[in-house]
PDB file of all heavy atoms in Angstrom:
ATOM      1  N   TRP A1407      -5.360  -3.102  21.911  1.00  0.00           N
ATOM      2  CA  TRP A1407      -6.275  -1.961  21.917  1.00  0.00           C
ATOM      3  C   TRP A1407      -6.963  -1.816  23.271  1.00  0.00           C
ATOM      4  O   TRP A1407      -7.396  -0.728  23.642  1.00  0.00           O
ATOM      5  CB  TRP A1407      -7.295  -2.096  20.791  1.00  0.00           C
ATOM      6  CG  TRP A1407      -6.675  -1.901  19.436  1.00  0.00           C
ATOM      7  CD1 TRP A1407      -6.534  -2.833  18.453  1.00  0.00           C
ATOM      8  CD2 TRP A1407      -6.095  -0.694  18.931  1.00  0.00           C
ATOM      9  NE1 TRP A1407      -5.893  -2.290  17.361  1.00  0.00           N
ATOM     10  CE2 TRP A1407      -5.613  -0.973  17.633  1.00  0.00           C
ATOM     11  CE3 TRP A1407      -5.922   0.592  19.446  1.00  0.00           C
ATOM     12  CZ2 TRP A1407      -4.983  -0.018  16.844  1.00  0.00           C
ATOM     13  CZ3 TRP A1407      -5.284   1.549  18.667  1.00  0.00           C
ATOM     14  CH2 TRP A1407      -4.834   1.245  17.385  1.00  0.00           C
ATOM     15  N   ASN A1435      -8.689   5.734   7.212  1.00  0.00           N
ATOM     16  CA  ASN A1435      -8.822   4.311   6.905  1.00  0.00           C
ATOM     17  C   ASN A1435      -7.573   3.527   7.258  1.00  0.00           C
ATOM     18  O   ASN A1435      -7.644   2.341   7.586  1.00  0.00           O
ATOM     19  CB  ASN A1435      -9.183   4.126   5.431  1.00  0.00           C
ATOM     20  CG  ASN A1435     -10.661   4.359   5.166  1.00  0.00           C
ATOM     21  OD1 ASN A1435     -11.452   3.435   5.179  1.00  0.00           O
ATOM     22  ND2 ASN A1435     -11.042   5.607   4.947  1.00  0.00           N
ATOM     23  N   THR A1436      -6.412   4.172   7.196  1.00  0.00           N
ATOM     24  CA  THR A1436      -5.173   3.515   7.605  1.00  0.00           C
ATOM     25  C   THR A1436      -5.237   3.147   9.082  1.00  0.00           C
ATOM     26  O   THR A1436      -4.821   2.049   9.486  1.00  0.00           O
ATOM     27  CB  THR A1436      -3.964   4.433   7.342  1.00  0.00           C
ATOM     28  OG1 THR A1436      -3.836   4.634   5.932  1.00  0.00           O
ATOM     29  CG2 THR A1436      -2.672   3.823   7.865  1.00  0.00           C
ATOM     30  N   VAL A1437      -5.774   4.042   9.895  1.00  0.00           N
ATOM     31  CA  VAL A1437      -5.939   3.748  11.321  1.00  0.00           C
ATOM     32  C   VAL A1437      -6.987   2.655  11.509  1.00  0.00           C
ATOM     33  O   VAL A1437      -6.770   1.686  12.252  1.00  0.00           O
ATOM     34  CB  VAL A1437      -6.349   5.011  12.108  1.00  0.00           C
ATOM     35  CG1 VAL A1437      -6.615   4.661  13.575  1.00  0.00           C
ATOM     36  CG2 VAL A1437      -5.266   6.078  12.013  1.00  0.00           C
ATOM     37  N   PHE A1438      -8.118   2.785  10.822  1.00  0.00           N
ATOM     38  CA  PHE A1438      -9.207   1.839  11.042  1.00  0.00           C
ATOM     39  C   PHE A1438      -8.830   0.412  10.665  1.00  0.00           C
ATOM     40  O   PHE A1438      -9.203  -0.539  11.365  1.00  0.00           O
ATOM     41  CB  PHE A1438     -10.459   2.258  10.278  1.00  0.00           C
ATOM     42  CG  PHE A1438     -11.615   1.302  10.478  1.00  0.00           C
ATOM     43  CD1 PHE A1438     -12.172   1.127  11.735  1.00  0.00           C
ATOM     44  CD2 PHE A1438     -12.126   0.568   9.420  1.00  0.00           C
ATOM     45  CE1 PHE A1438     -13.226   0.236  11.934  1.00  0.00           C
ATOM     46  CE2 PHE A1438     -13.174  -0.316   9.606  1.00  0.00           C
ATOM     47  CZ  PHE A1438     -13.734  -0.483  10.867  1.00  0.00           C
ATOM     48  N   GLU A1439      -8.095   0.221   9.571  1.00  0.00           N
ATOM     49  CA  GLU A1439      -7.781  -1.153   9.202  1.00  0.00           C
ATOM     50  C   GLU A1439      -6.870  -1.822  10.226  1.00  0.00           C
ATOM     51  O   GLU A1439      -6.976  -3.023  10.469  1.00  0.00           O
ATOM     52  CB  GLU A1439      -7.193  -1.236   7.784  1.00  0.00           C
ATOM     53  CG  GLU A1439      -5.795  -0.726   7.608  1.00  0.00           C
ATOM     54  CD  GLU A1439      -5.290  -0.930   6.186  1.00  0.00           C
ATOM     55  OE1 GLU A1439      -6.105  -1.139   5.261  1.00  0.00           O
ATOM     56  OE2 GLU A1439      -4.058  -0.886   5.992  1.00  0.00           O
ATOM     57  N   SER A1440      -5.989  -1.031  10.868  1.00  0.00           N
ATOM     58  CA  SER A1440      -5.163  -1.600  11.934  1.00  0.00           C
ATOM     59  C   SER A1440      -5.998  -1.914  13.167  1.00  0.00           C
ATOM     60  O   SER A1440      -5.767  -2.914  13.853  1.00  0.00           O
ATOM     61  CB  SER A1440      -4.019  -0.644  12.297  1.00  0.00           C
ATOM     62  OG  SER A1440      -3.007  -0.651  11.305  1.00  0.00           O
ATOM     63  N   VAL A1441      -6.979  -1.066  13.437  1.00  0.00           N
ATOM     64  CA  VAL A1441      -7.898  -1.339  14.548  1.00  0.00           C
ATOM     65  C   VAL A1441      -8.679  -2.621  14.274  1.00  0.00           C
ATOM     66  O   VAL A1441      -8.768  -3.509  15.126  1.00  0.00           O
ATOM     67  CB  VAL A1441      -8.857  -0.156  14.763  1.00  0.00           C
ATOM     68  CG1 VAL A1441      -9.968  -0.538  15.743  1.00  0.00           C
ATOM     69  CG2 VAL A1441      -8.102   1.063  15.292  1.00  0.00           C
ATOM     70  N   ALA A1442      -9.261  -2.721  13.079  1.00  0.00           N
ATOM     71  CA  ALA A1442     -10.066  -3.896  12.732  1.00  0.00           C
ATOM     72  C   ALA A1442      -9.237  -5.173  12.763  1.00  0.00           C
ATOM     73  O   ALA A1442      -9.695  -6.215  13.256  1.00  0.00           O
ATOM     74  CB  ALA A1442     -10.694  -3.702  11.346  1.00  0.00           C
ATOM     75  N   LEU A1443      -8.004  -5.099  12.261  1.00  0.00           N
ATOM     76  CA  LEU A1443      -7.121  -6.262  12.268  1.00  0.00           C
ATOM     77  C   LEU A1443      -6.757  -6.653  13.701  1.00  0.00           C
ATOM     78  O   LEU A1443      -6.734  -7.840  14.045  1.00  0.00           O
ATOM     79  CB  LEU A1443      -5.855  -5.958  11.461  1.00  0.00           C
ATOM     80  CG  LEU A1443      -4.815  -7.071  11.339  1.00  0.00           C
ATOM     81  CD1 LEU A1443      -5.399  -8.275  10.607  1.00  0.00           C
ATOM     82  CD2 LEU A1443      -3.572  -6.565  10.595  1.00  0.00           C
ATOM     83  N   GLY A1444      -6.483  -5.660  14.539  1.00  0.00           N
ATOM     84  CA  GLY A1444      -6.120  -5.939  15.922  1.00  0.00           C
ATOM     85  C   GLY A1444      -7.269  -6.472  16.744  1.00  0.00           C
ATOM     86  O   GLY A1444      -7.071  -7.283  17.651  1.00  0.00           O
ATOM     87  N   ILE A1445      -8.480  -6.040  16.424  1.00  0.00           N
ATOM     88  CA  ILE A1445      -9.657  -6.510  17.156  1.00  0.00           C
ATOM     89  C   ILE A1445     -10.094  -7.893  16.695  1.00  0.00           C
ATOM     90  O   ILE A1445     -10.410  -8.773  17.501  1.00  0.00           O
ATOM     91  CB  ILE A1445     -10.833  -5.516  16.978  1.00  0.00           C
ATOM     92  CG1 ILE A1445     -10.522  -4.181  17.660  1.00  0.00           C
ATOM     93  CG2 ILE A1445     -12.134  -6.104  17.518  1.00  0.00           C
ATOM     94  CD1 ILE A1445     -10.374  -4.258  19.162  1.00  0.00           C
ATOM     95  N   GLY A1446     -10.113  -8.103  15.384  1.00  0.00           N
ATOM     96  CA  GLY A1446     -10.701  -9.336  14.858  1.00  0.00           C
ATOM     97  C   GLY A1446      -9.744 -10.385  14.347  1.00  0.00           C
ATOM     98  O   GLY A1446     -10.124 -11.546  14.152  1.00  0.00           O
ATOM     99  N   GLY A1447      -8.489 -10.010  14.075  1.00  0.00           N
ATOM    100  CA  GLY A1447      -7.538 -10.969  13.530  1.00  0.00           C
ATOM    101  C   GLY A1447      -7.612 -11.067  12.021  1.00  0.00           C
ATOM    102  O   GLY A1447      -8.526 -10.519  11.378  1.00  0.00           O
ATOM    103  N   ALA A1448      -6.656 -11.779  11.436  1.00  0.00           N
ATOM    104  CA  ALA A1448      -6.521 -11.841   9.983  1.00  0.00           C
ATOM    105  C   ALA A1448      -7.688 -12.542   9.293  1.00  0.00           C
ATOM    106  O   ALA A1448      -8.134 -12.127   8.222  1.00  0.00           O
ATOM    107  CB  ALA A1448      -5.209 -12.525   9.606  1.00  0.00           C
ATOM    108  N   TYR A1450     -10.861 -12.787  10.242  1.00  0.00           N
ATOM    109  CA  TYR A1450     -12.003 -11.858  10.230  1.00  0.00           C
ATOM    110  C   TYR A1450     -11.769 -10.740   9.220  1.00  0.00           C
ATOM    111  O   TYR A1450     -12.661 -10.396   8.434  1.00  0.00           O
ATOM    112  CB  TYR A1450     -12.215 -11.260  11.626  1.00  0.00           C
ATOM    113  CG  TYR A1450     -12.964  -9.942  11.602  1.00  0.00           C
ATOM    114  CD1 TYR A1450     -14.342  -9.907  11.404  1.00  0.00           C
ATOM    115  CD2 TYR A1450     -12.277  -8.731  11.733  1.00  0.00           C
ATOM    116  CE1 TYR A1450     -15.021  -8.686  11.349  1.00  0.00           C
ATOM    117  CE2 TYR A1450     -12.944  -7.516  11.677  1.00  0.00           C
ATOM    118  CZ  TYR A1450     -14.315  -7.499  11.478  1.00  0.00           C
ATOM    119  OH  TYR A1450     -14.971  -6.294  11.419  1.00  0.00           O
ATOM    120  N   TYR A1451     -10.574 -10.150   9.242  1.00  0.00           N
ATOM    121  CA  TYR A1451     -10.235  -9.056   8.323  1.00  0.00           C
ATOM    122  C   TYR A1451     -10.456  -9.483   6.879  1.00  0.00           C
ATOM    123  O   TYR A1451     -11.039  -8.744   6.070  1.00  0.00           O
ATOM    124  CB  TYR A1451      -8.781  -8.647   8.561  1.00  0.00           C
ATOM    125  CG  TYR A1451      -8.264  -7.540   7.666  1.00  0.00           C
ATOM    126  CD1 TYR A1451      -8.174  -6.232   8.135  1.00  0.00           C
ATOM    127  CD2 TYR A1451      -7.830  -7.793   6.367  1.00  0.00           C
ATOM    128  CE1 TYR A1451      -7.683  -5.213   7.325  1.00  0.00           C
ATOM    129  CE2 TYR A1451      -7.343  -6.787   5.550  1.00  0.00           C
ATOM    130  CZ  TYR A1451      -7.264  -5.499   6.040  1.00  0.00           C
ATOM    131  OH  TYR A1451      -6.782  -4.494   5.238  1.00  0.00           O
ATOM    132  N   ASN A1452     -10.007 -10.683   6.529  1.00  0.00           N
ATOM    133  CA  ASN A1452     -10.162 -11.183   5.163  1.00  0.00           C
ATOM    134  C   ASN A1452     -11.628 -11.315   4.775  1.00  0.00           C
ATOM    135  O   ASN A1452     -12.033 -10.947   3.661  1.00  0.00           O
ATOM    136  CB  ASN A1452      -9.460 -12.532   5.010  1.00  0.00           C
ATOM    137  CG  ASN A1452      -8.104 -12.414   4.352  1.00  0.00           C
ATOM    138  OD1 ASN A1452      -7.940 -11.681   3.382  1.00  0.00           O
ATOM    139  ND2 ASN A1452      -7.123 -13.121   4.876  1.00  0.00           N
ATOM    140  N   ALA A1454     -14.266  -9.774   6.172  1.00  0.00           N
ATOM    141  CA  ALA A1454     -15.016  -8.523   6.213  1.00  0.00           C
ATOM    142  C   ALA A1454     -14.546  -7.489   5.199  1.00  0.00           C
ATOM    143  O   ALA A1454     -15.368  -6.821   4.553  1.00  0.00           O
ATOM    144  CB  ALA A1454     -14.956  -7.928   7.619  1.00  0.00           C
ATOM    145  N   PHE A1455     -13.218  -7.363   5.019  1.00  0.00           N
ATOM    146  CA  PHE A1455     -12.703  -6.231   4.242  1.00  0.00           C
ATOM    147  C   PHE A1455     -11.990  -6.611   2.943  1.00  0.00           C
ATOM    148  O   PHE A1455     -11.571  -5.737   2.197  1.00  0.00           O
ATOM    149  CB  PHE A1455     -11.781  -5.388   5.126  1.00  0.00           C
ATOM    150  CG  PHE A1455     -12.497  -4.807   6.311  1.00  0.00           C
ATOM    151  CD1 PHE A1455     -12.322  -5.339   7.576  1.00  0.00           C
ATOM    152  CD2 PHE A1455     -13.396  -3.766   6.150  1.00  0.00           C
ATOM    153  CE1 PHE A1455     -13.006  -4.824   8.668  1.00  0.00           C
ATOM    154  CE2 PHE A1455     -14.081  -3.243   7.225  1.00  0.00           C
ATOM    155  CZ  PHE A1455     -13.896  -3.779   8.497  1.00  0.00           C
ATOM    156  N   THR A1467     -17.935  -8.093  16.057  1.00  0.00           N
ATOM    157  CA  THR A1467     -16.519  -7.720  15.897  1.00  0.00           C
ATOM    158  C   THR A1467     -16.384  -6.386  15.190  1.00  0.00           C
ATOM    159  O   THR A1467     -15.565  -5.542  15.572  1.00  0.00           O
ATOM    160  CB  THR A1467     -15.766  -8.804  15.099  1.00  0.00           C
ATOM    161  OG1 THR A1467     -15.944 -10.064  15.749  1.00  0.00           O
ATOM    162  CG2 THR A1467     -14.275  -8.489  15.028  1.00  0.00           C
ATOM    163  N   THR A1468     -17.206  -6.158  14.168  1.00  0.00           N
ATOM    164  CA  THR A1468     -17.154  -4.880  13.458  1.00  0.00           C
ATOM    165  C   THR A1468     -17.663  -3.746  14.339  1.00  0.00           C
ATOM    166  O   THR A1468     -17.113  -2.633  14.314  1.00  0.00           O
ATOM    167  CB  THR A1468     -17.964  -4.952  12.155  1.00  0.00           C
ATOM    168  OG1 THR A1468     -17.596  -6.126  11.423  1.00  0.00           O
ATOM    169  CG2 THR A1468     -17.691  -3.735  11.282  1.00  0.00           C
ATOM    170  N   LYS A1470     -17.341  -3.647  17.553  1.00  0.00           N
ATOM    171  CA  LYS A1470     -16.247  -3.375  18.484  1.00  0.00           C
ATOM    172  C   LYS A1470     -15.126  -2.602  17.796  1.00  0.00           C
ATOM    173  O   LYS A1470     -14.500  -1.725  18.404  1.00  0.00           O
ATOM    174  CB  LYS A1470     -15.696  -4.672  19.071  1.00  0.00           C
ATOM    175  CG  LYS A1470     -14.623  -4.447  20.142  1.00  0.00           C
ATOM    176  CD  LYS A1470     -14.157  -5.742  20.782  1.00  0.00           C
ATOM    177  CE  LYS A1470     -13.092  -5.451  21.848  1.00  0.00           C
ATOM    178  NZ  LYS A1470     -12.603  -6.694  22.497  1.00  0.00           N
ATOM    179  N   ALA A1471     -14.872  -2.913  16.537  1.00  0.00           N
ATOM    180  CA  ALA A1471     -13.833  -2.189  15.793  1.00  0.00           C
ATOM    181  C   ALA A1471     -14.182  -0.705  15.684  1.00  0.00           C
ATOM    182  O   ALA A1471     -13.320   0.160  15.899  1.00  0.00           O
ATOM    183  CB  ALA A1471     -13.641  -2.803  14.412  1.00  0.00           C
ATOM    184  N   PHE A1472     -15.432  -0.403  15.366  1.00  0.00           N
ATOM    185  CA  PHE A1472     -15.844   1.005  15.279  1.00  0.00           C
ATOM    186  C   PHE A1472     -15.846   1.673  16.653  1.00  0.00           C
ATOM    187  O   PHE A1472     -15.450   2.834  16.790  1.00  0.00           O
ATOM    188  CB  PHE A1472     -17.209   1.125  14.613  1.00  0.00           C
ATOM    189  CG  PHE A1472     -17.155   1.155  13.117  1.00  0.00           C
ATOM    190  CD1 PHE A1472     -17.641   0.101  12.365  1.00  0.00           C
ATOM    191  CD2 PHE A1472     -16.602   2.244  12.452  1.00  0.00           C
ATOM    192  CE1 PHE A1472     -17.586   0.124  10.975  1.00  0.00           C
ATOM    193  CE2 PHE A1472     -16.536   2.288  11.063  1.00  0.00           C
ATOM    194  CZ  PHE A1472     -17.038   1.228  10.325  1.00  0.00           C
ATOM    195  N   THR A1474     -13.851   0.956  19.034  1.00  0.00           N
ATOM    196  CA  THR A1474     -12.433   1.182  19.346  1.00  0.00           C
ATOM    197  C   THR A1474     -11.887   2.363  18.555  1.00  0.00           C
ATOM    198  O   THR A1474     -11.111   3.172  19.068  1.00  0.00           O
ATOM    199  CB  THR A1474     -11.608  -0.090  19.058  1.00  0.00           C
ATOM    200  OG1 THR A1474     -12.151  -1.181  19.820  1.00  0.00           O
ATOM    201  CG2 THR A1474     -10.146   0.110  19.433  1.00  0.00           C
ATOM    202  N   LEU A1475     -12.301   2.480  17.290  1.00  0.00           N
ATOM    203  CA  LEU A1475     -11.870   3.620  16.478  1.00  0.00           C
ATOM    204  C   LEU A1475     -12.330   4.930  17.112  1.00  0.00           C
ATOM    205  O   LEU A1475     -11.588   5.912  17.135  1.00  0.00           O
ATOM    206  CB  LEU A1475     -12.418   3.494  15.061  1.00  0.00           C
ATOM    207  CG  LEU A1475     -12.031   4.619  14.092  1.00  0.00           C
ATOM    208  CD1 LEU A1475     -10.522   4.647  13.855  1.00  0.00           C
ATOM    209  CD2 LEU A1475     -12.776   4.469  12.764  1.00  0.00           C
ATOM    210  N   PRO A1533      -1.282  -2.045  17.842  1.00  0.00           N
ATOM    211  CA  PRO A1533      -1.794  -2.913  18.910  1.00  0.00           C
ATOM    212  C   PRO A1533      -2.606  -4.096  18.397  1.00  0.00           C
ATOM    213  O   PRO A1533      -3.498  -3.943  17.551  1.00  0.00           O
ATOM    214  CB  PRO A1533      -2.653  -1.960  19.747  1.00  0.00           C
ATOM    215  CG  PRO A1533      -1.975  -0.631  19.584  1.00  0.00           C
ATOM    216  CD  PRO A1533      -1.522  -0.618  18.143  1.00  0.00           C
ATOM    217  N   GLY A1534      -2.257  -5.264  18.885  1.00  0.00           N
ATOM    218  CA  GLY A1534      -2.984  -6.480  18.530  1.00  0.00           C
ATOM    219  C   GLY A1534      -2.651  -7.073  17.190  1.00  0.00           C
ATOM    220  O   GLY A1534      -3.216  -8.112  16.809  1.00  0.00           O
ATOM    221  N   THR A1535      -1.700  -6.478  16.447  1.00  0.00           N
ATOM    222  CA  THR A1535      -1.422  -6.956  15.079  1.00  0.00           C
ATOM    223  C   THR A1535      -0.002  -7.495  14.914  1.00  0.00           C
ATOM    224  O   THR A1535       0.476  -7.615  13.795  1.00  0.00           O
ATOM    225  CB  THR A1535      -1.654  -5.834  14.042  1.00  0.00           C
ATOM    226  OG1 THR A1535      -0.623  -4.838  14.156  1.00  0.00           O
ATOM    227  CG2 THR A1535      -3.009  -5.174  14.230  1.00  0.00           C
ATOM    228  N   THR A1540      -0.403  -6.104   7.142  1.00  0.00           N
ATOM    229  CA  THR A1540      -1.196  -5.526   6.049  1.00  0.00           C
ATOM    230  C   THR A1540      -0.233  -4.962   5.012  1.00  0.00           C
ATOM    231  O   THR A1540       0.640  -4.161   5.346  1.00  0.00           O
ATOM    232  CB  THR A1540      -2.131  -4.412   6.549  1.00  0.00           C
ATOM    233  OG1 THR A1540      -1.425  -3.528   7.401  1.00  0.00           O
ATOM    234  CG2 THR A1540      -3.310  -4.983   7.296  1.00  0.00           C
ATOM    235  N   PHE A1617      -6.869  -2.390   2.708  1.00  0.00           N
ATOM    236  CA  PHE A1617      -8.003  -1.784   2.007  1.00  0.00           C
ATOM    237  C   PHE A1617      -7.902  -0.264   2.010  1.00  0.00           C
ATOM    238  O   PHE A1617      -8.487   0.402   1.157  1.00  0.00           O
ATOM    239  CB  PHE A1617      -9.345  -2.261   2.567  1.00  0.00           C
ATOM    240  CG  PHE A1617      -9.688  -1.807   3.962  1.00  0.00           C
ATOM    241  CD1 PHE A1617     -10.151  -0.533   4.213  1.00  0.00           C
ATOM    242  CD2 PHE A1617      -9.593  -2.695   5.025  1.00  0.00           C
ATOM    243  CE1 PHE A1617     -10.496  -0.131   5.499  1.00  0.00           C
ATOM    244  CE2 PHE A1617      -9.935  -2.307   6.315  1.00  0.00           C
ATOM    245  CZ  PHE A1617     -10.396  -1.016   6.556  1.00  0.00           C
TER     246      PHE A1617
END
Side-chain angles (χ1 to χ4, degrees):
W1407 290 114
N1435 280 267
T1436 295
V1437 176
F1438 180 63
E1439 72 177 18
S1440 285
V1441 170
L1443 181 63
I1445 293 296
Y1450 157 76
Y1451 179 101
N1452 260 317
F1455 298 104
T1467 305
T1468 311
K1470 185 176 180 180
F1472 275 111
T1474 303
L1475 181 64
T1535 71
T1540 47
F1617 68 78

